[in-house]
Amino acid sequence: MKGLTAGIAVAVLSPLLLAGTAMMLASSSEAVQSTGALSDCLGDVDIDAVSKQVTAILDGASDKDVHVEGLTLPKEQIPNAQTIVATGISLHVPVRGQIVAIATAMQESRLRNLNSGDRDSLGLFQQRPSQGWGTAQQIRDPVYASEQFYQHLLKIKGWQQLTVTQAAQAVQASGYPDAYAQWEGLATALQSAIAATFPNAGKDTDGTGHGAGATGCPPPADGSGYGRIPEGSVPKGYKIPLDTDPKARKAIEWAMFQLGTLYQWGGSCTDSHGPDPMGRCDCSSLMQQAYAHAGITLTRTTYTQVSEGKAVSPSQLRPGDLIFARGTAARPEHVGMFLGAGLVIEAPRTTKPVRITPLKDWAILAVRRVV
């Protein structure tokens, strides 16, 4: 596999050879133009603008003529990003993993193949020979360094359910674990623009069994891809995942029927649409009644529900899992139900309705699986 990856690197990654690789690459200009429809996936990053600049660099433009916000040396940085994407494609790493890798390299080295760093850190990902990443010479090889990053990432169970910054941190064990998030938009834009120059790159899968090339967007593992979710509504495009446990599906469907009903502290959640406020839901009664309609008995309060079922790692979330927040792990003050696709349903607090929120808004203290 190393030989295959190295072959891709030699054939398509050297800026000096790009002009003569028509059989390997579509015209950079033509290929990257097709990515403009992906702009809705990228938040504040303008993929059209990034694509044009990536095209210019791949076609031999100088740094003076190219500007990508976040890249100070695009002539060096974009080819390094291309190495990361090419290596990922050759190893059949899902698009999401390629984005994690680029975001990591942006944070660790600003996508530069550095000769030094903290202690003995080197290269694109600031990997350390003393920590078993390879020899200094190996780590300075961008293809080798990319392979090593992907191999470590793919060993993390449930990595595709993590946010980009959580996945990166699981590999890197950085002293600044939240720093990777700032590069997700740029990393997504770079991956999309670069992957468009590789034949058949769109046939890669996103790890869920569906082609990532259909939309070019990674799955919204933390729910951020849905944008602002109006309170009491179901985000456009959300469906309960097909592989959801049947009892969890019933609980989710019942909970979603309560969307838009007002929170009531101490409410029983037995008639949330009725005239009696005490028939409405609070966070724990919503969980209790949802699972009661699926034939599963839960205790009444958040404090006791945190002991129901079995403990689950946040990286292993499944639809129907109870997610606990606020307070402490032993005595949490809030609970919601994971819906899959990075979404959670909750009865939040007084004056607020039962609603769906993105997982990124949850500081998870504990997860319990009751089915």
Side-chain angles (χ1 to χ4, degrees):
M1 184 63 71
K2 175 72 178 294
L4 173 61
T5 308
I8 291 178
V10 170
V12 303
L13 299 183
S14 170
L16 297 177
L17 296 176
L18 280 169
T21 57
M23 290 187 296
M24 291 296 295
L25 295 175
S27 162
S28 297
S29 300
E30 294 175 358
V32 177
Q33 281 174 1
S34 67
T35 64
L38 307 181
S39 57
D40 289 343
C41 308
L42 302 175
D44 295 331
V45 177
D46 185 343
I47 192 171
D48 288 323
V50 172
S51 295
K52 290 177 182 177
Q53 303 306 308
V54 167
T55 297
I57 285 292
L58 297 183
D59 287 343
S62 70
D63 281 347
K64 296 179 181 179
D65 303 320
V66 170
H67 174 71
V68 178
E69 187 172 355
L71 301 183
T72 56
L73 298 169
K75 191 77 173 178
E76 176 184 358
Q77 292 164 307
I78 289 174
N80 284 332
Q82 193 182 36
T83 300
I84 293 170
V85 172
T87 306
I89 290 172
S90 73
L91 294 174
H92 305 292
V93 176
V95 168
R96 183 71 169 174
Q98 297 170 36
I99 292 169
V100 172
I102 294 173
T104 301
M106 273 300 305
Q107 174 57 30
E108 297 293 349
S109 69
R110 295 299 189 270
L111 275 172
R112 294 172 296 155
N113 194 17
L114 299 178
N115 290 314
S116 62
D118 179 48
R119 287 170 282 191
D120 59 337
S121 299
L122 296 166
L124 289 175
F125 299 93
Q126 289 291 279
Q127 295 156 339
R128 299 177 60 192
S130 64
Q131 299 299 308
W133 287 93
T135 66
Q137 182 178 4
Q138 288 174 320
I139 292 171
R140 283 272 298 142
D141 174 356
V143 176
Y144 174 89
S146 299
E147 283 183 332
Q148 287 297 303
F149 180 87
Y150 286 131
Q151 288 171 9
H152 282 73
L153 176 67
L154 296 176
K155 289 178 182 178
I156 299 167
K157 292 183 179 180
W159 68 268
Q160 287 175 271
Q161 300 303 314
L162 302 178
T163 65
V164 166
T165 194
Q166 288 170 336
Q169 174 63 6
V171 175
Q172 298 294 107
S174 169
Y176 303 94
D178 299 321
Y180 303 103
Q182 64 185 308
W183 304 114
E184 181 172 357
L186 177 58
T188 304
L190 288 171
Q191 191 284 330
S192 298
I194 292 167
T197 68
F198 288 89
N200 302 319
K203 294 182 179 179
D204 191 14
T205 62
D206 61 15
T208 63
H210 304 285
T215 65
C217 303
D222 64 354
S224 58
Y226 289 102
R228 179 182 173 276
I229 304 172
E231 290 190 335
S233 69
V234 179
K236 183 178 180 181
Y238 170 77
K239 293 182 179 179
I240 301 173
L242 293 176
D243 59 352
T244 299
D245 180 278
K247 290 185 176 180
R249 178 179 291 275
K250 286 185 179 180
I252 289 171
E253 289 173 345
W254 191 90
M256 289 177 68
F257 184 69
Q258 317 313 313
L259 283 169
T261 62
L262 283 177
Y263 174 98
Q264 176 61 53
W265 185 84
S268 65
C269 203
T270 54
D271 187 16
S272 65
H273 294 273
D276 183 0
M278 296 311 295
R280 299 173 189 164
C281 310
D282 64 14
C283 65
S284 56
S285 65
L286 178 62
M287 304 299 106
Q288 182 188 48
Q289 292 303 314
Y291 269 109
H293 284 77
I296 295 176
T297 300
L298 298 182
T299 51
R300 173 63 182 84
T301 70
T302 304
Y303 304 137
T304 54
Q305 287 176 2
V306 75
S307 298
E308 302 276 8
K310 64 178 181 180
V312 177
S313 167
S315 67
Q316 301 292 315
L317 281 170
R318 293 180 186 171
D321 286 349
L322 304 185
I323 299 177
F324 296 85
R326 307 175 196 164
T328 66
R331 195 172 174 80
E333 298 174 357
H334 188 55
V335 62
M337 184 185 297
F338 185 59
L339 302 179
L343 299 173
V344 184
I345 190 167
E346 62 170 348
R349 61 182 183 275
T350 302
T351 75
K352 292 290 184 179
V354 175
R355 65 186 184 183
I356 293 174
T357 55
L359 188 63
K360 70 179 181 63
D361 291 346
W362 285 69
I364 300 175
L365 296 173
V367 178
R368 305 295 294 194
R369 184 164 297 154
V370 299
V371 292

